[in-house]
Amino acid sequence: MRYKAVVKYVGANYYGWQKQLKETTVQGVIEHQLSRIFNQDIVIHGSGRTDRYVHAYGQVFHFDAPSFPLRKLRYSLNKMLPESIEILKLNKAADNFHARLDAKSKTYEYIIIEKAKDPFNAPYSLLYPFPLSLSKLIEAANYFIGKHNFQNFTNKEEDYQGFVREIQGFTVKRSGKRYTFIIQGNGFMRGQIRMMIGTILAYNENKLTLNEIKSALESTERNIISYKVKGHGLYLRKVEY
């Protein structure tokens, strides 16, 4: 039987989503508890990886396991998982459903607070001690909208899609000293969003020009951008199917 789940987690204490042998990851923790419940090895498949320290409101994963009452399974799993991970939804899925391959788009948020120090927000946002120009942030973000070759905005060594991804929407909102970047796309590669945000901030600080951003997107040669923000402020908001 195939199950589909939506999970919320705080990534601050995890070495990303993907299971690793020597590090604590979100996937590894969930698989361990599911395997205890079913008394057999359970492997889960996420809609995509999230980097170290990245959070999620709506990560999706699927897994195959024997039939089990859904309410009881969700309740038991949440009781066994740490407080930083919560299963929001758990349903039966079609046998051919795939959390990653069937995803049509993903929406991420990145949060920046225009402040040098804040103990309560530090694990959940980027604290930025320099003045931010909303108009400049929006101006730079618009350059990423559309279909581009993002080879210079990821650390991936190779990509079966040729590093081409489509950014369907990229907006920036301000509320006091809090800035929220909302990015929707058909898929994202390792470090891509953090490099895009880092590039936008470099433009805000006059370290880059708009022409240089455009050139990085249009270049046929690979020269990876050196600007990259931390994962603390990044959230996987939702996955559309």
Side-chain angles (χ1 to χ4, degrees):
M1 176 177 168
R2 182 153 295 185
Y3 296 84
K4 174 186 176 184
V6 180
V7 58
K8 176 181 182 180
Y9 54 84
V10 173
N13 298 323
Y14 300 100
Y15 211 86
W17 165 266
Q18 188 178 23
K19 183 169 58 178
Q20 299 184 39
L21 289 176
K22 298 181 180 180
E23 304 290 350
T24 302
T25 68
V26 180
Q27 178 186 4
V29 170
I30 296 174
E31 284 185 353
H32 176 70
Q33 299 303 349
L34 279 173
S35 297
R36 290 180 62 196
I37 291 173
F38 287 99
N39 198 30
Q40 66 182 65
D41 289 340
I42 301 295
V43 177
I44 67 176
H45 304 270
S47 68
R49 306 170 184 176
T50 52
D51 295 338
R52 187 179 182 184
Y53 302 133
V54 175
H55 317 289
Y57 283 103
Q59 170 72 289
V60 178
F61 67 88
H62 79 265
F63 63 95
D64 295 326
S67 180
F68 202 103
L70 290 173
R71 291 183 64 183
K72 183 178 179 181
L73 178 57
R74 177 171 171 260
Y75 174 82
S76 299
L77 186 54
N78 272 328
K79 288 286 287 185
M80 297 167 71
L81 288 170
E83 292 183 353
S84 53
I85 301 176
E86 179 187 7
I87 304 299
L88 300 177
K89 297 179 182 179
L90 184 63
N91 304 105
K92 296 179 181 179
D95 291 340
N96 62 349
F97 170 78
H98 197 286
R100 179 176 62 84
L101 298 179
D102 291 345
K104 301 300 182 184
S105 71
K106 297 176 185 177
T107 301
Y108 280 85
E109 289 183 358
Y110 196 89
I111 297 173
I112 297 177
I113 297 179
E114 195 177 7
K115 194 174 180 183
K117 192 172 185 179
D118 189 328
F120 289 106
N121 281 309
Y124 310 108
S125 59
L126 174 67
L127 301 179
Y128 193 75
F130 308 108
L132 286 167
S133 166
L134 181 60
S135 61
K136 292 189 73 172
L137 300 179
I138 294 172
E139 190 177 23
N142 285 336
Y143 271 71
F144 292 102
I145 297 175
K147 187 177 289 186
H148 301 285
N149 184 322
F150 286 97
Q151 64 177 344
N152 293 324
F153 293 87
T154 178
N155 290 322
K156 286 188 71 176
E157 294 183 4
E158 56 184 3
D159 182 69
Y160 74 99
Q161 297 184 58
F163 301 101
V164 175
R165 299 292 189 275
E166 182 179 5
I167 304 298
Q168 299 154 345
F170 201 147
T171 59
V172 188
K173 299 180 180 180
R174 177 184 178 183
S175 177
K177 293 185 176 295
R178 181 186 179 97
Y179 294 77
T180 303
F181 297 74
I182 304 169
I183 310 105
Q184 182 180 10
N186 65 352
F188 298 94
M189 295 172 286
R190 183 172 65 244
Q192 181 183 341
I193 294 178
R194 294 193 288 140
M195 287 185 181
M196 291 193 296
I197 300 296
T199 299
I200 292 171
L201 293 180
Y203 173 64
N204 177 79
E205 296 178 36
N206 299 315
K207 294 179 179 178
L208 281 178
T209 66
L210 293 175
N211 281 335
E212 287 175 310
I213 296 175
K214 183 179 179 182
S215 295
L217 289 168
E218 296 178 349
S219 176
T220 57
E221 296 183 2
R222 194 164 193 200
N223 186 15
I224 300 173
I225 285 288
S226 60
Y227 302 103
K228 187 178 183 180
V229 293
K230 296 179 180 180
H232 301 78
L234 184 57
Y235 298 76
L236 173 56
R237 174 59 70 175
K238 63 180 177 180
V239 183
E240 299 284 356
Y241 291 92

